[in-house]
Amino acid sequence: MALASELKISRNQAANLIKNALVSVNSKPALKPSMQLNQNDEICVKFALPKEKTNDYEVNFEIPVIYEDEDILVLNKPPQIVVHQAPSVKEATLVEWLNKKGFMLSNLNGDVRAGIVHRLDKGTSGAIVVAKNNFAHAKLSEQLSDKSMGRIYLALTDLPLKEDVIIDKPIGRNPNNRLKKAIVADAKFAKSAFVNLLSENGINLIAAKLFTGRTHQIRVHLASLNRHI
């Protein structure tokens, strides 16, 4: 897709821009991502502010700000806070907290995921980077893609690892439970590295580095070693 290539963003992000009526070709709205372009066509992208959203969910929590400048925020997400809304989510989210605080956010991923470059599971705490504008969002996504920005997690497990290990096993929907993820042949490529940090008095602390970003990747790869967070 020409738009994705020019802005150095993913095809999904480019499709969202078109879906949200933010892209025009020769002053006419682009209607679909597969639209054919001709030489000298003029493409315009409108980087609008995300629309204010209202719902019945009260934002009754605070999120510490680790770092802020004109382009990005780094937040220390507490556990038990969902990053963005989804059909199954019936509570206030990190995105709604951002909107309540009046932060300007990128909209490459649409209003529901405004500013969200990457996500953390509800039960996971730690640093999460939020983009304030679309340029920063595109650059952060590029860094995640080319691995110049890494992600390292700390976790307590029921058993220590037998040895430091790299797991390269595909992850997809669990065929026995569509709500869960599992190691599935011919699913999406997934790669993780695990290192023992501490094993003392029943406490087993490990570090995990992700080379891909599949949903529940750490839990699924650890489960393949019979280890659980």
Side-chain angles (χ1 to χ4, degrees):
M1 184 190 296
L3 186 63
S5 176
E6 183 66 24
L7 295 179
K8 293 182 173 57
I9 59 178
S10 71
R11 294 174 66 88
N12 184 58
Q13 289 170 334
N16 279 334
L17 288 174
I18 295 172
K19 180 181 178 180
N20 292 327
L22 298 175
V23 181
S24 62
V25 178
N26 300 326
S27 300
K28 295 181 179 180
L31 300 179
K32 54 185 180 180
S34 59
M35 179 180 181
Q36 296 296 314
L37 297 176
N38 299 311
Q39 190 173 7
N40 298 323
D41 277 347
E42 183 177 282
I43 303 172
C44 179
V45 181
K46 180 182 178 182
F47 292 143
L49 294 176
K51 294 178 289 186
E52 183 177 353
K53 298 178 286 301
T54 59
N55 57 38
D56 297 327
Y57 307 131
E58 181 183 0
V59 180
N60 57 3
F61 52 81
E62 286 297 328
I63 303 177
V65 176
I66 299 173
Y67 173 82
E68 180 181 5
D69 61 26
E70 62 184 9
D71 296 309
I72 68 170
L73 279 167
V74 181
L75 304 176
N76 184 11
K77 187 189 91 65
Q80 306 311 315
I81 291 178
V82 179
V83 172
H84 59 73
Q85 278 293 339
S88 61
V89 176
K90 307 300 181 185
E91 60 194 274
T93 67
L94 182 146
V95 169
E96 285 155 348
W97 179 86
L98 288 166
N99 286 328
K100 179 182 178 181
K101 295 296 183 180
F103 287 110
M104 181 184 300
L105 302 171
S106 73
N107 61 356
L108 283 183
N109 280 341
D111 293 335
V112 172
R113 302 186 184 189
I116 301 303
V117 181
H118 66 106
R119 58 179 295 278
L120 295 173
D121 290 345
K122 178 178 179 179
T124 302
S125 62
I128 184 168
V129 184
V130 177
K132 287 186 171 182
N133 56 63
N134 289 353
F135 178 80
H137 195 138
K139 290 299 182 182
L140 289 169
S141 295
E142 184 180 336
Q143 290 169 21
L144 281 172
S145 179
D146 65 18
K147 307 298 186 297
S148 57
M149 178 168 66
R151 289 166 289 173
I152 296 177
Y153 297 80
L154 300 177
L156 297 174
T157 59
D158 52 357
L159 296 170
L161 301 169
K162 292 182 178 180
E163 60 184 357
D164 298 342
V165 63
I166 293 178
I167 298 180
D168 180 354
K169 296 180 180 179
I171 293 177
R173 289 190 182 276
N174 188 323
N176 299 318
N177 186 337
R178 301 292 291 174
L179 297 178
K180 294 184 177 182
K181 300 293 183 179
I183 303 296
V184 179
D186 300 323
K188 292 182 177 179
F189 167 75
K191 182 179 179 181
S192 311
F194 299 102
V195 176
N196 276 313
L197 296 180
L198 174 69
S199 183
E200 185 175 315
N201 298 324
I203 297 175
N204 305 297
L205 178 65
I206 68 166
K209 177 177 174 59
L210 299 186
F211 297 91
T212 54
R214 308 303 173 207
T215 301
H216 298 159
Q217 178 173 322
I218 293 175
R219 297 178 186 275
V220 173
H221 275 171
L222 282 176
S224 72
L225 300 174
N226 196 31
R227 300 296 186 274
H228 306 91
I229 294 175

